[in-house]
Amino acid sequence: MKQLGIVGQSVKRSDGIGHVTGQTEYVDDVFYPGMLWLKMVRSPVSRGRIRRVDTSRAERLPGVTAVVTAKDVPNNWYTILCLIGIEPNDEPVLADEEVMYEGEPICAVVAETEDIAREAASLVKLEIDEQEPVLDVEYALTADAPAIKKWGNNTFMYDGMNHRRLRFGDVDRGFEEADHIVEGTYQMTPIEHVPMETHVCVVKPEPNGRLTIHSNTQALYFTMDNTAIILKVPSNRLRLVGGTVGGGFGGKVDVITEPVTSIAAMKTGRPVKWRWTREEEFRRSSVRGACKMEYRDGVMKDGRIVARKVRSIHDAGAYHRHSPYGVQKNMANLPGPYSIPNVWVDCYCVYTNRQPSSAMRGFAVTEATFAVEVQMDKIASVIGMDPWEIRMVNAYRNGHMRPVRKVVEDATLLETLKAAAQLVGHELPARVRDMHSDDYAGVAEPVQP
Amino acid sequence: MATQLATHIVTFQLNGRPHAVTVAPLTTLRTALREDLHLHATKAGCGQGGCGSCTVLLDNELVLSCLVPVTLVDGRSVTTLEGIGGPGRLHPLQEAFHDHFAAQCGYCTAGMIMAAKWLLDRNPNPTRAEIQMALAGNLCRCTGYVPIIEAIEDAARRMSKGVKR
């Protein structure tokens, strides 16, 4: 048999020498002769109608070469997940009629130096009629709340419904036969990724009509497709250069710098750099959305969960970004890795006048796992059972149908729990000690293919 | 009006050689290094002294180069990551960081190594607590602090065995 050379070996990083010597080139290390600098004018209010954007003083400042407004963006309304069928386009690249969150981009100024660009941005005069913002997800769901989305409510619409549903078995019957009802509400605050490297983009117009786009996006092709759509150009006009990201954690998958920087480069015919300040990174980039999950479980004396009903509310902030997809993942994971015969889940992707939320490590699965595992501990405590035992009694086995109608293959939960118990020196109760993923004693039989 | 400030000529030793930059008076050392002299190892993480990614040595003392006006380094000596070693001639700290996978995204690495160099220059055999204290001003958001600390411990061992510095 051929000897494998890599598996089991510790292989040095191909970019390691570059990192430890400072020779790795990040986007902010890219400089071109004659390069211009871009700064963004952002909304000072959480919600309002734009009456006037006066850029005349900024344009008169010596050293200012261009101002970019919504009128300069060929397809101003976009949504990045249009690539997987999410609609409608709900976000402007640059706000035109209204602003939906504090810090929303309104217009960009481009100048010979970053200092001049910063000064010019401060000279843009905004006249905005401020409106009452919707800042609370529960309030956003009430009839009293103003509808902030153009389609007339404050939620993403899943197949015509204002929430994503999961229905499996009959939860009411499950609650009736249960010995205990255990309830718990779990919440997570928004979390900012805080990569050490802020968002940076450099765009250079090439003599052949193409744009070379240096981006620290985590999703290069995704960025190329969306930028091409927004600029209304074929994607072969764009040459994306990426691959080196100074920390992302999901925070650099929004297509948030490339279109405006590209338009500035096209408008001036010169290379343009836009780099975000730390404050912009903290307060303006997408965050992990706040999430609230309410559990109601029906549990038997022997630890079996016979019904689970969950309501989950996710704060998307002002726009889709990746949230409709994240909420779907949240929905699929709220039952946990457990075989529960009766499951009911309602998940709401709610819009508010807050900083948009988007992807972050685990992406709404982390939220679900946090909630479901704290809930499992709570059940164990309520019925007086070892917290390992409650998980093993309910762990899904190979062949079990998950509520999302996927049959479990390659289940490893029981094996992992047994190995973890051994590592931490926890003696498992005799009843579960020998359980394994093809053992159906006391649990549902596998689904026949 | 965009202010056209008077410029200053600043001369200083940079990584052992004399350099001069012509800058506006409030230009930071970090901006002069990165944007005038195009030494890009020193990173701009926050611009407000909060993250440590722009850490360099000024007369062998640790400074955050984003907070130092470059006019203040006139006649003094600055050392950046480029000055302690490069590809093919790695400093033991750079070797150890590479061997211990102590750089993930790499953006904090220059600052981490410079802080570690400052420590080992003064204390060739530091305790783990002393290493942690020396890195207190440097953030790593990939949260790879343990391999960074282990790399510094290993570098200290390598250097005490007489590996050329």
Side-chain angles (χ1 to χ4, degrees):
Chain A
M1 205 176 95
K2 188 167 180 284
Q3 194 65 37
L4 296 175
I6 297 297
V7 174
Q9 303 292 313
S10 183
V11 178
K12 292 283 170 59
R13 293 176 60 115
S14 60
D15 55 7
I17 296 290
H19 284 4
V20 300
T21 59
Q23 302 302 302
T24 300
E25 184 178 77
Y26 297 84
V27 181
D28 195 26
D29 300 334
V30 174
F31 289 85
Y32 287 113
M35 190 171 78
L36 300 169
W37 296 81
L38 187 150
K39 282 284 168 190
M40 186 57 70
V41 178
R42 296 173 177 278
S43 171
V45 301
S46 295
R47 182 168 174 239
R49 299 210 59 90
I50 299 174
R51 197 147 30 87
R52 190 152 168 264
V53 179
D54 180 0
T55 61
S56 56
R57 281 185 71 206
E59 287 175 74
R60 285 200 299 273
L61 187 72
V64 171
T65 50
V67 170
V68 181
T69 66
K71 290 196 292 289
D72 297 302
V73 188
N75 276 322
N76 194 37
W77 287 80
Y78 77 108
T79 191
I80 38 187
L81 287 182
C82 68
L83 302 180
I84 60 165
I86 297 288
E87 53 185 16
N89 290 336
D90 78 328
E91 180 166 4
V93 174
L94 293 169
D96 47 11
E97 293 165 3
E98 54 182 358
V99 285
M100 293 280 280
Y101 69 97
E102 187 192 326
E104 179 161 4
I106 295 176
C107 79
V109 291
V110 188
E112 298 286 347
T113 70
E114 198 174 24
D115 283 344
I116 297 173
R118 190 182 297 113
E119 186 174 350
S122 74
L123 297 176
V124 172
K125 200 167 168 228
L126 301 174
E127 291 175 29
I128 298 175
D129 293 328
E130 198 170 351
Q131 293 169 298
E132 190 64 38
V134 176
L135 299 172
D136 181 85
V137 283
E138 292 283 14
Y139 172 64
L141 286 172
T142 63
D144 294 341
I148 62 171
K149 301 307 280 187
K150 289 189 192 306
W151 54 86
N153 69 13
N154 295 327
T155 63
F156 183 74
M157 300 301 286
Y158 291 97
D159 302 325
M161 289 181 288
N162 72 345
H163 58 288
R164 174 51 91 200
R165 285 182 185 180
L166 181 58
R167 301 287 185 268
F168 186 66
D170 180 348
V171 279
D172 291 334
R173 209 183 62 205
F175 286 129
E176 268 169 39
E177 65 185 57
D179 296 319
H180 302 273
I181 301 292
V182 182
E183 293 180 328
T185 297
Y186 307 98
Q187 299 193 67
M188 279 175 69
T189 59
I191 301 173
E192 164 55 32
H193 315 73
V194 203
M196 298 307 293
E197 174 205 45
T198 62
H199 280 75
V200 193
C201 181
V202 179
V203 179
K204 178 175 181 278
E206 302 291 353
N208 62 9
R210 291 187 179 177
L211 297 173
T212 297
I213 303 175
H214 299 267
S215 168
N216 56 14
T217 174
Q218 293 175 254
L220 204 69
Y221 289 95
F222 192 73
T223 297
M224 183 174 75
D225 287 346
N226 273 294
T227 305
I229 291 168
I230 290 165
L231 300 182
K232 236 188 229 181
V233 299
S235 53
N236 67 9
R237 285 271 309 276
L238 309 178
R239 176 176 168 252
L240 272 285
V241 183
T244 301
V245 182
F249 323 120
K252 287 176 180 157
V253 295
D254 294 338
V255 183
I256 206 73
T257 56
E258 300 84 359
V260 173
T261 315
S262 295
I263 291 165
M266 290 159 85
K267 217 172 161 174
T268 58
R270 288 168 63 179
V272 178
K273 180 181 277 192
W274 183 19
R275 59 181 176 193
W276 288 20
T277 63
R278 177 53 56 190
E279 182 183 356
E280 283 179 301
E281 194 66 37
F282 250 115
R283 300 187 62 201
R284 311 312 183 198
S285 74
S286 293
V287 291
R288 184 198 290 280
C291 193
K292 178 180 179 183
M293 294 152 287
E294 299 163 339
Y295 273 75
R296 178 178 164 83
D297 288 338
V299 188
M300 305 305 289
K301 285 197 190 87
D302 64 5
R304 282 178 301 123
I305 302 170
V306 291
R308 169 162 283 175
K309 189 168 185 175
V310 192
R311 176 176 179 261
S312 169
I313 311 174
H314 184 97
D315 188 352
Y319 296 112
H320 297 331
R321 303 273 171 99
H322 285 77
S323 288
Y325 168 73
V327 169
Q328 180 128 331
K329 288 174 74 106
N330 183 248
M331 172 275 291
N333 286 278
L334 285 167
Y338 305 108
S339 284
I340 302 171
N342 306 297
V343 172
W344 168 302
V345 180
D346 287 348
C347 279
Y348 294 81
C349 175
V350 181
Y351 299 98
T352 61
N353 295 111
R354 289 182 180 275
Q355 181 178 8
S357 65
S358 200
M360 185 174 185
R361 302 187 124 176
F363 203 165
V365 178
T366 312
E367 289 86 323
T369 303
F370 156 67
V372 72
E373 293 308 327
V374 181
Q375 174 74 0
M376 293 303 280
D377 282 346
K378 185 169 184 180
I379 296 170
S381 147
V382 166
I383 70 170
M385 184 175 275
D386 176 291
W388 297 73
E389 183 177 1
I390 188 87
R391 289 174 168 84
M392 294 179 75
V393 165
N394 289 288
Y396 55 32
R397 271 55 163 181
N398 282 318
H400 277 177
M401 179 67 83
R402 297 180 60 210
V404 288
R405 312 306 198 272
K406 287 274 186 197
V407 177
V408 175
E409 296 170 38
D410 303 326
T412 53
L413 180 56
L414 285 165
E415 288 71 17
T416 306
L417 284 170
K418 285 193 287 188
Q422 199 170 9
L423 282 172
V424 299
H426 180 79
E427 195 177 332
L428 292 171
R431 176 186 169 209
V432 297
R433 203 171 293 152
D434 298 320
M435 281 182 174
H436 58 85
S437 292
D438 294 306
D439 164 24
Y440 304 96
V443 299
E445 287 297 314
V447 173
Q448 294 306 319
Chain B
M1 289 294 293
T3 36
Q4 200 60 50
L5 294 171
T7 52
H8 289 227
I9 297 171
V10 182
T11 56
F12 58 105
Q13 292 286 315
L14 174 57
N15 298 329
R17 288 160 183 250
H19 279 74
V21 286
T22 308
V23 293
L26 287 177
T27 303
T28 64
L29 173 58
R30 186 201 71 195
T31 301
L33 290 171
R34 288 184 48 78
E35 298 177 22
D36 292 283
L37 296 162
H38 286 291
L39 289 181
H40 297 151
T42 304
K43 294 297 179 227
C46 69
Q48 20 184 253
C51 75
S53 52
C54 68
T55 304
V56 300
L57 297 176
L58 175 59
D59 292 338
N60 296 316
E61 287 296 337
L62 275 188
V63 294
L64 297 164
S65 61
C66 74
L67 297 184
V68 178
V70 67
T71 47
L72 291 187
V73 311
D74 196 60
R76 299 169 75 182
S77 167
V78 175
T79 307
T80 69
L81 183 64
E82 289 97 335
I84 73 165
R89 46 178 190 89
L90 296 180
H91 185 279
L93 272 164
Q94 293 172 318
E95 279 178 1
F97 267 63
H98 186 45
D99 291 345
H100 287 266
F101 301 90
Q104 188 172 325
C105 85
Y107 221 70
C108 72
T109 307
M112 291 286 181
I113 293 179
M114 297 315 287
K117 177 163 191 319
W118 176 87
L119 173 68
L120 297 187
D121 283 349
R122 276 153 192 75
N123 180 356
N125 188 23
T127 65
R128 212 171 167 87
E130 286 167 336
I131 293 172
Q132 289 170 354
M133 192 58 82
L135 299 180
N138 295 73
L139 297 179
C140 164
R141 263 304 268 186
C142 307
T143 60
Y145 293 105
V146 170
I148 290 170
I149 292 165
E150 287 169 355
I152 296 169
E153 287 177 325
D154 189 22
R157 281 193 295 273
R158 293 179 196 205
M159 289 161 76
S160 67
K161 279 183 193 143
V163 179
K164 192 166 161 281
R165 292 169 79 163

